[in-house]
Amino acid sequence: MLLLAINTGYKFGNNLTSLSRMQPQHILSSRQASWQAATQQVFDIVIIGGGATGAGAALDAASRGYRVLLVEADDFGSATSSKSTKLIHGGVRYLEQAVKKLSYQQYRMVRKALHERATLLQLAPHITRPLQLITPCRTWLEGVYYYIGLKLYDVISGRTHLGKSQLLTRRQALEKLPTLRRQQLYTAVLYYDGQLDDLRYNWALAHTAAAEGTTCFNHTALTSFEKDAQGRLCGAWLHDRYLQQSFFVRGRCFINATGPFADGIRQLAQPTLAPRIRVSKGVHILLPKHMMPGASALLIPQTKDGRLVFAIPYQKHVLVGTTDEEAELIAEEFGPTRADVQYLLEYCNAYLDINAGEADVKAGFGGLRPLVKKLGGHTKDLVRDHEIETDPQSGLISILGGKWTTYRLMARDGVDAAGQQLHDVRPCRTQQLVLLGSRQYSHHTAIALQQHSGWDHEIVKHLVSKYGDQSMLVAQLAQQQPSLAQRILPGMPYTWAELQYNLQYEMALTVKDVIARRWGTQLADWQQALQLIAPVGQYMAQQLGWSHAQQTEYIDGYQQQLAQLIAQSK
Ligand SMILES: Cc1cc2nc3c(=O)[nH]c(=O)nc-3n(C[C@H](O)[C@H](O)[C@H](O)COP(=O)(O)OP(=O)(O)OC[C@H]3O[C@@H](n4cnc5c(N)ncnc54)[C@H](O)[C@@H]3O)c2cc1C
């Protein structure tokens, strides 16, 4: 038992099929073995950070045939990449800025992101969808202004457009968004962008990277570098926080993909480097779905501080955000403050006839935008483009800035730079590389799952929307052990089989990994997350052989952390 508690982790990259027959204990015992293997070889590319950028870079590099190691200090997608507005977009505000400031740089970024939007939708249809967004207009002139702007958005997206922008009558707007405030509603403009389930997309990237041969470790932080006689990076010390052990790995090239934390890694490699990242804090809140029924989203075009606020259908709720406030780097997870909640509710109530109050807030979360520094100005005015920096002395490659929508381009550019450094340039393959979960996925997946499993519509819909074609593996687990088919708690779609799947196939090691990062419950519904902690924790403790101290940390510790996050918003 003690041995099992210590032996955690696995290299799941090359061995997905055999994993299907493994029990969690066996998976855990192979983590140590994976470390042994990792310390014996020289990786071509070591990637630090398992958010969208790092997981995307790992997939890109492994699919080009490089030997890749990906290390993530917490869990995949645990930082900014699960805290986004979940839009795959060119950015209508950036387009407005491009036109107003005649900025070619902004225009290029919008065009690039609009083209990438179509690619992301094709790569993972099970966790993305085209989204209709509606902007209510309080005068006809406003309507014409936005309509022309959004037509330009259509033109720039060219053949990759997701649908044509339209000027709606007041009645048409109310049909799509019945709770829109009627006073001062003259007309509305409808346009299209994409929506993604960011945390599932992040996992799909890591999972696919592993399937392409990447060795992946979550809960593993890079703590220091080793340099050769020429001062070039040649190795790194990594601390596995789950095993409480440190390991030394050798690499020929290192990519820093730590988003808002990038300066820390840059200065570990080269202490004289000046900081390049400026972080801006953005928060979202979740409101009940009945406050904005329907499948369309609302775009509030102008706040007092010159921002946009979105209200978007997300899971069974409405996601409202975001704020944009220059901030210090915050290492711990944070949520909305009371002031943030008031700010977002004020705009919801101004545009929706819902009279929402603090008590209606189901959940909330905050993230840090990693913006590339320019001196002066507001963070909301910074161009959200990315930059690849290679430190000429240490050789560290840093992927700086960017946004979810352009993760693939960021990854491609970072790996291109690595290829040059390795004197072994290979072409990028990710434009056509469909992610795991989407390869056999179609509208028949739900029917097949229902027939195969006998689960009701709610569970089937939930599983397919998270796991795509991989949900058949969840059903297989329930078939092998029928007690796993039961729901964990009544009224929620989570089954024991899904939890077992997360442990067996998805590297979930802590209760928070499951509830916050694989299911996303913490981000959508605080009360449901709190209710799930105890049963999920007890199951994991038994399956993974947790010690008393681990149970305290992963169950009680998480409970306290979440309670604190909730209290901050009151
Ligand atoms: C409020 C908000 C809304 C947004 N909305 C959108 C949107 O709608 N659409 C869009 O396209 N973009 C959006 N973005 C931007 C997008 O979310 C980010 O650009 C993107 O997620 C950044 O990903 P990343 O991988 O670079 O950083 P992160 O996701 O922060 O990942 C960095 C990772 O590095 C890890 N790490 C740090 N130090 C170490 C270490 N020493 N060793 C190992 N690992 C380490 C961290 O644990 C972390 O997981 C939004 C951002 C914010 C904040």
Side-chain angles (χ1 to χ4, degrees), residues 48-54 71-75 77-81 83-87 89 220-222 257-261 265 280 282-284 322 367-370 401-405:
I48 311 141
T53 312
V71 290
E72 162 52 48
D74 190 342
D75 190 19
S78 57
T80 310
S81 296
K83 312 291 168 30
S84 80
T85 312
K86 298 156 203 336
L87 288 174
H89 62 161
T220 298
L222 180 135
T258 53
F261 309 97
I265 299 295
S280 124
V283 303
H284 292 85
T322 171
L368 297 173
R369 293 179 188 85
K403 54 182 191 167
W404 241 117
T405 309

mmCIF file of all heavy atoms in Angstrom, residues 48-54 71-75 77-81 83-87 89 220-222 257-261 265 280 282-284 322 367-370 401-405, ligand 1:
data_model
loop_
_atom_site.group_PDB
_atom_site.id
_atom_site.type_symbol
_atom_site.label_atom_id
_atom_site.label_comp_id
_atom_site.label_asym_id
_atom_site.label_seq_id
_atom_site.Cartn_x
_atom_site.Cartn_y
_atom_site.Cartn_z
ATOM 1 N N ILE A 48 8.432 23.604 -21.063
ATOM 2 C CA ILE A 48 8.076 23.953 -19.684
ATOM 3 C C ILE A 48 6.746 24.692 -19.727
ATOM 4 O O ILE A 48 6.632 25.747 -20.352
ATOM 5 C CB ILE A 48 9.163 24.855 -19.061
ATOM 6 C CG1 ILE A 48 10.545 24.245 -19.292
ATOM 7 C CG2 ILE A 48 8.908 25.074 -17.571
ATOM 8 C CD1 ILE A 48 11.597 25.283 -19.607
ATOM 9 N N GLY A 49 5.726 24.110 -19.059
ATOM 10 C CA GLY A 49 4.396 24.722 -19.025
ATOM 11 C C GLY A 49 3.412 23.935 -19.868
ATOM 12 O O GLY A 49 3.635 23.719 -21.055
ATOM 13 N N GLY A 50 2.322 23.484 -19.232
ATOM 14 C CA GLY A 50 1.342 22.637 -19.931
ATOM 15 C C GLY A 50 0.007 23.317 -20.131
ATOM 16 O O GLY A 50 -1.045 22.688 -20.037
ATOM 17 N N GLY A 51 0.033 24.648 -20.413
ATOM 18 C CA GLY A 51 -1.194 25.330 -20.833
ATOM 19 C C GLY A 51 -1.384 25.121 -22.331
ATOM 20 O O GLY A 51 -0.776 24.211 -22.929
ATOM 21 N N ALA A 52 -2.208 25.952 -22.947
ATOM 22 C CA ALA A 52 -2.481 25.812 -24.381
ATOM 23 C C ALA A 52 -1.181 25.881 -25.178
ATOM 24 O O ALA A 52 -0.958 25.086 -26.103
ATOM 25 C CB ALA A 52 -3.425 26.930 -24.824
ATOM 26 N N THR A 53 -0.309 26.813 -24.803
ATOM 27 C CA THR A 53 0.915 27.022 -25.576
ATOM 28 C C THR A 53 1.855 25.820 -25.454
ATOM 29 O O THR A 53 2.352 25.303 -26.460
ATOM 30 C CB THR A 53 1.634 28.299 -25.100
ATOM 31 O OG1 THR A 53 0.670 29.354 -25.029
ATOM 32 C CG2 THR A 53 2.753 28.689 -26.020
ATOM 33 N N GLY A 54 2.097 25.374 -24.223
ATOM 34 C CA GLY A 54 3.043 24.276 -24.001
ATOM 35 C C GLY A 54 2.515 22.948 -24.520
ATOM 36 O O GLY A 54 3.247 22.189 -25.169
ATOM 37 N N VAL A 71 6.635 19.301 -19.172
ATOM 38 C CA VAL A 71 6.422 19.322 -17.719
ATOM 39 C C VAL A 71 5.524 20.482 -17.344
ATOM 40 O O VAL A 71 5.684 21.600 -17.828
ATOM 41 C CB VAL A 71 7.742 19.394 -16.907
ATOM 42 C CG1 VAL A 71 8.493 18.098 -17.012
ATOM 43 C CG2 VAL A 71 8.614 20.571 -17.309
ATOM 44 N N GLU A 72 4.585 20.196 -16.472
ATOM 45 C CA GLU A 72 3.619 21.196 -16.011
ATOM 46 C C GLU A 72 3.654 21.221 -14.476
ATOM 47 O O GLU A 72 3.477 20.191 -13.833
ATOM 48 C CB GLU A 72 2.223 20.823 -16.543
ATOM 49 C CG GLU A 72 1.057 21.486 -15.847
ATOM 50 C CD GLU A 72 1.131 23.013 -15.741
ATOM 51 O OE1 GLU A 72 1.413 23.678 -16.745
ATOM 52 O OE2 GLU A 72 0.923 23.532 -14.609
ATOM 53 N N ALA A 73 3.861 22.415 -13.919
ATOM 54 C CA ALA A 73 4.041 22.543 -12.474
ATOM 55 C C ALA A 73 2.793 22.137 -11.689
ATOM 56 O O ALA A 73 2.889 21.579 -10.597
ATOM 57 C CB ALA A 73 4.411 23.983 -12.126
ATOM 58 N N ASP A 74 1.623 22.419 -12.237
ATOM 59 C CA ASP A 74 0.377 22.082 -11.533
ATOM 60 C C ASP A 74 -0.324 21.011 -12.369
ATOM 61 O O ASP A 74 0.134 19.883 -12.449
ATOM 62 C CB ASP A 74 -0.445 23.363 -11.370
ATOM 63 C CG ASP A 74 -1.635 23.195 -10.458
ATOM 64 O OD1 ASP A 74 -2.033 22.047 -10.222
ATOM 65 O OD2 ASP A 74 -2.188 24.200 -9.977
ATOM 66 N N ASP A 75 -1.401 21.371 -13.029
ATOM 67 C CA ASP A 75 -2.061 20.389 -13.899
ATOM 68 C C ASP A 75 -2.242 21.037 -15.271
ATOM 69 O O ASP A 75 -2.267 22.266 -15.390
ATOM 70 C CB ASP A 75 -3.418 20.001 -13.304
ATOM 71 C CG ASP A 75 -4.046 18.825 -14.022
ATOM 72 O OD1 ASP A 75 -3.318 18.090 -14.714
ATOM 73 O OD2 ASP A 75 -5.267 18.645 -13.907
ATOM 74 N N GLY A 77 -3.502 22.903 -18.188
ATOM 75 C CA GLY A 77 -4.589 23.886 -18.316
ATOM 76 C C GLY A 77 -5.043 24.495 -17.010
ATOM 77 O O GLY A 77 -6.086 25.145 -16.959
ATOM 78 N N SER A 78 -4.272 24.309 -15.938
ATOM 79 C CA SER A 78 -4.759 24.791 -14.639
ATOM 80 C C SER A 78 -4.663 26.302 -14.494
ATOM 81 O O SER A 78 -5.366 26.892 -13.687
ATOM 82 C CB SER A 78 -3.967 24.127 -13.510
ATOM 83 O OG SER A 78 -2.585 24.388 -13.688
ATOM 84 N N ALA A 79 -3.818 26.969 -15.283
ATOM 85 C CA ALA A 79 -3.649 28.415 -15.109
ATOM 86 C C ALA A 79 -4.552 29.170 -16.096
ATOM 87 O O ALA A 79 -5.738 28.869 -16.200
ATOM 88 C CB ALA A 79 -2.173 28.772 -15.254
ATOM 89 N N THR A 80 -3.995 30.091 -16.855
ATOM 90 C CA THR A 80 -4.820 30.955 -17.713
ATOM 91 C C THR A 80 -5.666 30.166 -18.708
ATOM 92 O O THR A 80 -6.783 30.579 -19.041
ATOM 93 C CB THR A 80 -3.902 31.921 -18.499
ATOM 94 O OG1 THR A 80 -3.019 32.535 -17.584
ATOM 95 C CG2 THR A 80 -4.691 32.974 -19.220
ATOM 96 N N SER A 81 -5.136 29.057 -19.187
ATOM 97 C CA SER A 81 -5.801 28.374 -20.301
ATOM 98 C C SER A 81 -7.170 27.790 -19.973
ATOM 99 O O SER A 81 -7.906 27.413 -20.883
ATOM 100 C CB SER A 81 -4.877 27.301 -20.886
ATOM 101 O OG SER A 81 -3.748 27.929 -21.439
ATOM 102 N N LYS A 83 -9.183 29.672 -17.983
ATOM 103 C CA LYS A 83 -9.875 30.827 -17.408
ATOM 104 C C LYS A 83 -10.266 31.842 -18.487
ATOM 105 O O LYS A 83 -10.465 33.008 -18.210
ATOM 106 C CB LYS A 83 -8.963 31.504 -16.360
ATOM 107 C CG LYS A 83 -8.325 30.560 -15.365
ATOM 108 C CD LYS A 83 -9.358 29.979 -14.433
ATOM 109 C CE LYS A 83 -8.881 28.813 -13.571
ATOM 110 N NZ LYS A 83 -7.517 28.731 -13.175
ATOM 111 N N SER A 84 -10.325 31.391 -19.722
ATOM 112 C CA SER A 84 -10.585 32.330 -20.829
ATOM 113 C C SER A 84 -12.082 32.531 -21.026
ATOM 114 O O SER A 84 -12.911 31.848 -20.412
ATOM 115 C CB SER A 84 -9.946 31.801 -22.113
ATOM 116 O OG SER A 84 -10.759 30.816 -22.693
ATOM 117 N N THR A 85 -12.422 33.446 -21.936
ATOM 118 C CA THR A 85 -13.836 33.669 -22.289
ATOM 119 C C THR A 85 -14.327 32.543 -23.205
ATOM 120 O O THR A 85 -15.499 32.463 -23.526
ATOM 121 C CB THR A 85 -13.984 35.055 -22.967
ATOM 122 O OG1 THR A 85 -13.295 36.017 -22.161
ATOM 123 C CG2 THR A 85 -15.420 35.495 -23.084
ATOM 124 N N LYS A 86 -13.438 31.705 -23.629
ATOM 125 C CA LYS A 86 -13.736 30.507 -24.413
ATOM 126 C C LYS A 86 -14.181 30.846 -25.833
ATOM 127 O O LYS A 86 -14.953 30.116 -26.455
ATOM 128 C CB LYS A 86 -14.761 29.615 -23.690
ATOM 129 C CG LYS A 86 -14.167 29.154 -22.351
ATOM 130 C CD LYS A 86 -15.150 28.780 -21.325
ATOM 131 C CE LYS A 86 -14.704 28.826 -19.889
ATOM 132 N NZ LYS A 86 -13.323 28.707 -19.528
ATOM 133 N N LEU A 87 -13.654 31.954 -26.329
ATOM 134 C CA LEU A 87 -13.963 32.344 -27.703
ATOM 135 C C LEU A 87 -12.781 32.036 -28.610
ATOM 136 O O LEU A 87 -11.628 32.282 -28.238
ATOM 137 C CB LEU A 87 -14.235 33.849 -27.778
ATOM 138 C CG LEU A 87 -15.551 34.316 -27.170
ATOM 139 C CD1 LEU A 87 -15.622 35.835 -27.189
ATOM 140 C CD2 LEU A 87 -16.740 33.724 -27.914
ATOM 141 N N HIS A 89 -11.596 33.530 -31.691
ATOM 142 C CA HIS A 89 -12.029 34.743 -32.388
ATOM 143 C C HIS A 89 -10.877 35.552 -32.969
ATOM 144 O O HIS A 89 -9.744 35.455 -32.523
ATOM 145 C CB HIS A 89 -12.856 35.620 -31.432
ATOM 146 C CG HIS A 89 -12.101 36.094 -30.221
ATOM 147 N ND1 HIS A 89 -12.520 37.170 -29.475
ATOM 148 C CD2 HIS A 89 -10.977 35.662 -29.629
ATOM 149 C CE1 HIS A 89 -11.666 37.366 -28.491
ATOM 150 N NE2 HIS A 89 -10.731 36.472 -28.550
ATOM 151 N N THR A 220 4.703 18.770 -11.921
ATOM 152 C CA THR A 220 6.166 18.744 -11.976
ATOM 153 C C THR A 220 6.694 20.105 -12.412
ATOM 154 O O THR A 220 6.415 20.540 -13.530
ATOM 155 C CB THR A 220 6.638 17.652 -12.975
ATOM 156 O OG1 THR A 220 6.190 16.386 -12.485
ATOM 157 C CG2 THR A 220 8.144 17.642 -13.126
ATOM 158 N N ALA A 221 7.442 20.754 -11.521
ATOM 159 C CA ALA A 221 7.935 22.107 -11.822
ATOM 160 C C ALA A 221 9.406 22.082 -12.185
ATOM 161 O O ALA A 221 10.195 21.353 -11.563
ATOM 162 C CB ALA A 221 7.731 23.004 -10.610
ATOM 163 N N LEU A 222 9.767 22.883 -13.172
ATOM 164 C CA LEU A 222 11.192 23.081 -13.435
ATOM 165 C C LEU A 222 11.718 24.021 -12.347
ATOM 166 O O LEU A 222 11.144 25.091 -12.112
ATOM 167 C CB LEU A 222 11.385 23.703 -14.816
ATOM 168 C CG LEU A 222 12.841 23.942 -15.184
ATOM 169 C CD1 LEU A 222 13.115 23.485 -16.592
ATOM 170 C CD2 LEU A 222 13.233 25.395 -15.014
ATOM 171 N N ALA A 257 7.144 27.847 -22.093
ATOM 172 C CA ALA A 257 5.749 28.114 -22.485
ATOM 173 C C ALA A 257 4.933 28.326 -21.213
ATOM 174 O O ALA A 257 3.897 27.701 -21.024
ATOM 175 C CB ALA A 257 5.215 26.947 -23.308
ATOM 176 N N THR A 258 5.437 29.200 -20.348
ATOM 177 C CA THR A 258 4.797 29.345 -19.040
ATOM 178 C C THR A 258 3.894 30.578 -18.958
ATOM 179 O O THR A 258 3.546 31.011 -17.861
ATOM 180 C CB THR A 258 5.850 29.362 -17.908
ATOM 181 O OG1 THR A 258 6.828 30.361 -18.219
ATOM 182 C CG2 THR A 258 6.537 28.033 -17.756
ATOM 183 N N GLY A 259 3.489 31.103 -20.093
ATOM 184 C CA GLY A 259 2.483 32.169 -20.140
ATOM 185 C C GLY A 259 2.822 33.322 -19.229
ATOM 186 O O GLY A 259 3.902 33.936 -19.350
ATOM 187 N N PRO A 260 1.941 33.628 -18.250
ATOM 188 C CA PRO A 260 2.205 34.770 -17.370
ATOM 189 C C PRO A 260 3.471 34.603 -16.516
ATOM 190 O O PRO A 260 4.004 35.574 -15.994
ATOM 191 C CB PRO A 260 0.955 34.841 -16.485
ATOM 192 C CG PRO A 260 0.195 33.594 -16.719
ATOM 193 C CD PRO A 260 0.652 32.977 -17.982
ATOM 194 N N PHE A 261 3.941 33.359 -16.381
ATOM 195 C CA PHE A 261 5.108 33.094 -15.531
ATOM 196 C C PHE A 261 6.416 33.074 -16.328
ATOM 197 O O PHE A 261 7.470 32.693 -15.808
ATOM 198 C CB PHE A 261 4.924 31.750 -14.805
ATOM 199 C CG PHE A 261 3.602 31.633 -14.101
ATOM 200 C CD1 PHE A 261 2.529 30.983 -14.697
ATOM 201 C CD2 PHE A 261 3.407 32.228 -12.872
ATOM 202 C CE1 PHE A 261 1.290 30.903 -14.077
ATOM 203 C CE2 PHE A 261 2.167 32.159 -12.230
ATOM 204 C CZ PHE A 261 1.109 31.497 -12.835
ATOM 205 N N ILE A 265 11.028 31.963 -15.654
ATOM 206 C CA ILE A 265 11.840 30.936 -16.324
ATOM 207 C C ILE A 265 12.966 31.600 -17.121
ATOM 208 O O ILE A 265 14.109 31.132 -17.145
ATOM 209 C CB ILE A 265 10.951 30.062 -17.243
ATOM 210 C CG1 ILE A 265 9.862 29.345 -16.437
ATOM 211 C CG2 ILE A 265 11.786 29.063 -18.047
ATOM 212 C CD1 ILE A 265 10.353 28.336 -15.430
ATOM 213 N N SER A 280 -2.356 41.067 -17.066
ATOM 214 C CA SER A 280 -3.615 41.756 -16.811
ATOM 215 C C SER A 280 -4.602 40.716 -16.307
ATOM 216 O O SER A 280 -4.668 39.594 -16.821
ATOM 217 C CB SER A 280 -4.074 42.431 -18.094
ATOM 218 O OG SER A 280 -5.346 42.019 -18.451
ATOM 219 N N GLY A 282 -8.205 39.149 -15.502
ATOM 220 C CA GLY A 282 -9.566 39.147 -16.062
ATOM 221 C C GLY A 282 -10.410 38.124 -15.335
ATOM 222 O O GLY A 282 -9.958 37.010 -15.103
ATOM 223 N N VAL A 283 -11.628 38.501 -14.940
ATOM 224 C CA VAL A 283 -12.481 37.542 -14.230
ATOM 225 C C VAL A 283 -13.799 37.342 -14.970
ATOM 226 O O VAL A 283 -14.235 38.188 -15.751
ATOM 227 C CB VAL A 283 -12.777 37.965 -12.770
ATOM 228 C CG1 VAL A 283 -11.514 38.169 -11.983
ATOM 229 C CG2 VAL A 283 -13.656 39.178 -12.727
ATOM 230 N N HIS A 284 -14.411 36.211 -14.694
ATOM 231 C CA HIS A 284 -15.737 35.871 -15.233
ATOM 232 C C HIS A 284 -16.632 35.427 -14.084
ATOM 233 O O HIS A 284 -16.130 34.918 -13.079
ATOM 234 C CB HIS A 284 -15.638 34.689 -16.211
ATOM 235 C CG HIS A 284 -14.912 35.021 -17.472
ATOM 236 N ND1 HIS A 284 -13.545 34.950 -17.576
ATOM 237 C CD2 HIS A 284 -15.370 35.426 -18.682
ATOM 238 C CE1 HIS A 284 -13.193 35.295 -18.803
ATOM 239 N NE2 HIS A 284 -14.268 35.598 -19.485
ATOM 240 N N THR A 322 -15.423 39.916 -19.670
ATOM 241 C CA THR A 322 -14.458 39.826 -18.612
ATOM 242 C C THR A 322 -14.018 41.222 -18.178
ATOM 243 O O THR A 322 -14.354 42.193 -18.853
ATOM 244 C CB THR A 322 -13.232 38.993 -19.058
ATOM 245 O OG1 THR A 322 -12.186 39.078 -18.103
ATOM 246 C CG2 THR A 322 -12.703 39.420 -20.377
ATOM 247 N N GLY A 367 -8.241 34.860 -14.350
ATOM 248 C CA GLY A 367 -7.024 34.437 -15.054
ATOM 249 C C GLY A 367 -6.135 35.630 -15.348
ATOM 250 O O GLY A 367 -6.566 36.780 -15.268
ATOM 251 N N LEU A 368 -4.883 35.324 -15.678
ATOM 252 C CA LEU A 368 -3.901 36.376 -15.972
ATOM 253 C C LEU A 368 -3.528 36.335 -17.448
ATOM 254 O O LEU A 368 -3.023 35.320 -17.931
ATOM 255 C CB LEU A 368 -2.648 36.165 -15.125
ATOM 256 C CG LEU A 368 -2.831 36.267 -13.617
ATOM 257 C CD1 LEU A 368 -1.542 35.874 -12.907
ATOM 258 C CD2 LEU A 368 -3.251 37.671 -13.193
ATOM 259 N N ARG A 369 -3.770 37.422 -18.147
ATOM 260 C CA ARG A 369 -3.365 37.480 -19.570
ATOM 261 C C ARG A 369 -1.866 37.718 -19.641
ATOM 262 O O ARG A 369 -1.365 38.674 -19.038
ATOM 263 C CB ARG A 369 -4.056 38.642 -20.277
ATOM 264 C CG ARG A 369 -5.538 38.508 -20.414
ATOM 265 C CD ARG A 369 -6.126 39.718 -21.117
ATOM 266 N NE ARG A 369 -7.575 39.639 -21.062
ATOM 267 C CZ ARG A 369 -8.299 40.074 -20.039
ATOM 268 N NH1 ARG A 369 -7.727 40.626 -18.997
ATOM 269 N NH2 ARG A 369 -9.605 39.954 -20.052
ATOM 270 N N PRO A 370 -1.151 36.892 -20.400
ATOM 271 C CA PRO A 370 0.294 37.129 -20.538
ATOM 272 C C PRO A 370 0.543 38.074 -21.723
ATOM 273 O O PRO A 370 0.540 37.650 -22.870
ATOM 274 C CB PRO A 370 0.838 35.730 -20.839
ATOM 275 C CG PRO A 370 -0.331 34.955 -21.400
ATOM 276 C CD PRO A 370 -1.596 35.674 -21.095
ATOM 277 N N GLY A 401 3.277 35.931 -24.885
ATOM 278 C CA GLY A 401 2.037 36.594 -25.301
ATOM 279 C C GLY A 401 1.068 35.656 -25.992
ATOM 280 O O GLY A 401 0.997 34.471 -25.675
ATOM 281 N N GLY A 402 0.310 36.197 -26.952
ATOM 282 C CA GLY A 402 -0.625 35.403 -27.743
ATOM 283 C C GLY A 402 -1.966 35.208 -27.071
ATOM 284 O O GLY A 402 -2.269 35.819 -26.048
ATOM 285 N N LYS A 403 -2.777 34.359 -27.683
ATOM 286 C CA LYS A 403 -4.085 34.032 -27.117
ATOM 287 C C LYS A 403 -4.460 32.617 -27.525
ATOM 288 O O LYS A 403 -3.797 32.013 -28.381
ATOM 289 C CB LYS A 403 -5.132 35.045 -27.567
ATOM 290 C CG LYS A 403 -5.261 35.246 -29.080
ATOM 291 C CD LYS A 403 -6.310 36.321 -29.351
ATOM 292 C CE LYS A 403 -6.672 36.358 -30.815
ATOM 293 N NZ LYS A 403 -7.854 37.135 -31.093
ATOM 294 N N TRP A 404 -5.504 32.091 -26.909
ATOM 295 C CA TRP A 404 -5.919 30.712 -27.173
ATOM 296 C C TRP A 404 -6.063 30.474 -28.679
ATOM 297 O O TRP A 404 -5.577 29.468 -29.221
ATOM 298 C CB TRP A 404 -7.272 30.428 -26.506
ATOM 299 C CG TRP A 404 -7.251 29.342 -25.498
ATOM 300 C CD1 TRP A 404 -7.521 29.470 -24.171
ATOM 301 C CD2 TRP A 404 -6.977 27.946 -25.711
ATOM 302 N NE1 TRP A 404 -7.420 28.239 -23.547
ATOM 303 C CE2 TRP A 404 -7.097 27.294 -24.474
ATOM 304 C CE3 TRP A 404 -6.630 27.181 -26.826
ATOM 305 C CZ2 TRP A 404 -6.888 25.919 -24.319
ATOM 306 C CZ3 TRP A 404 -6.411 25.803 -26.677
ATOM 307 C CH2 TRP A 404 -6.547 25.190 -25.435
ATOM 308 N N THR A 405 -6.744 31.405 -29.336
ATOM 309 C CA THR A 405 -7.058 31.229 -30.749
ATOM 310 C C THR A 405 -5.809 30.972 -31.586
ATOM 311 O O THR A 405 -5.865 30.267 -32.596
ATOM 312 C CB THR A 405 -7.790 32.488 -31.271
ATOM 313 O OG1 THR A 405 -8.868 32.772 -30.373
ATOM 314 C CG2 THR A 405 -8.311 32.315 -32.675
HETATM 315 C C1 LIG B 1 -9.754 36.575 -18.637
HETATM 316 C C2 LIG B 1 -9.154 36.043 -19.891
HETATM 317 C C3 LIG B 1 -9.958 35.792 -20.995
HETATM 318 C C4 LIG B 1 -9.393 35.301 -22.175
HETATM 319 N N1 LIG B 1 -10.213 34.987 -23.209
HETATM 320 C C5 LIG B 1 -9.708 34.512 -24.362
HETATM 321 C C6 LIG B 1 -10.570 34.138 -25.415
HETATM 322 O O1 LIG B 1 -11.785 34.178 -25.303
HETATM 323 N N2 LIG B 1 -9.990 33.693 -26.554
HETATM 324 C C7 LIG B 1 -8.638 33.627 -26.713
HETATM 325 O O2 LIG B 1 -8.200 33.279 -27.804
HETATM 326 N N3 LIG B 1 -7.789 33.911 -25.701
HETATM 327 C C8 LIG B 1 -8.303 34.348 -24.523
HETATM 328 N N4 LIG B 1 -7.476 34.628 -23.472
HETATM 329 C C9 LIG B 1 -6.032 34.422 -23.618
HETATM 330 C C10 LIG B 1 -5.651 32.952 -23.410
HETATM 331 O O3 LIG B 1 -6.408 32.362 -22.395
HETATM 332 C C11 LIG B 1 -4.169 32.877 -23.046
HETATM 333 O O4 LIG B 1 -3.421 33.586 -23.986
HETATM 334 C C12 LIG B 1 -3.662 31.424 -23.033
HETATM 335 O O5 LIG B 1 -4.495 30.598 -22.283
HETATM 336 C C13 LIG B 1 -2.258 31.400 -22.441
HETATM 337 O O6 LIG B 1 -1.831 30.068 -22.435
HETATM 338 P P1 LIG B 1 -0.370 29.691 -21.927
HETATM 339 O O7 LIG B 1 -0.203 28.257 -22.144
HETATM 340 O O8 LIG B 1 0.601 30.605 -22.598
HETATM 341 O O9 LIG B 1 -0.381 30.075 -20.382
HETATM 342 P P2 LIG B 1 -0.998 29.259 -19.148
HETATM 343 O O10 LIG B 1 -2.285 28.637 -19.481
HETATM 344 O O11 LIG B 1 -0.992 30.196 -17.991
HETATM 345 O O12 LIG B 1 0.032 28.091 -18.926
HETATM 346 C C14 LIG B 1 1.304 28.277 -18.377
HETATM 347 C C15 LIG B 1 1.601 27.062 -17.524
HETATM 348 O O13 LIG B 1 2.965 27.084 -17.118
HETATM 349 C C16 LIG B 1 3.020 26.418 -15.877
HETATM 350 N N5 LIG B 1 4.285 26.732 -15.211
HETATM 351 C C17 LIG B 1 4.670 27.895 -14.646
HETATM 352 N N6 LIG B 1 5.883 27.787 -14.099
HETATM 353 C C18 LIG B 1 6.300 26.519 -14.327
HETATM 354 C C19 LIG B 1 7.473 25.786 -13.987
HETATM 355 N N7 LIG B 1 8.481 26.332 -13.290
HETATM 356 N N8 LIG B 1 7.569 24.483 -14.372
HETATM 357 C C20 LIG B 1 6.571 23.893 -15.070
HETATM 358 N N9 LIG B 1 5.428 24.553 -15.396
HETATM 359 C C21 LIG B 1 5.300 25.843 -15.039
HETATM 360 C C22 LIG B 1 1.796 26.928 -15.144
HETATM 361 O O14 LIG B 1 1.425 26.064 -14.086
HETATM 362 C C23 LIG B 1 0.776 27.009 -16.251
HETATM 363 O O15 LIG B 1 -0.093 25.897 -16.290
HETATM 364 C C24 LIG B 1 -8.004 35.094 -22.260
HETATM 365 C C25 LIG B 1 -7.196 35.330 -21.142
HETATM 366 C C26 LIG B 1 -7.764 35.787 -19.965
HETATM 367 C C27 LIG B 1 -6.916 35.998 -18.768
#
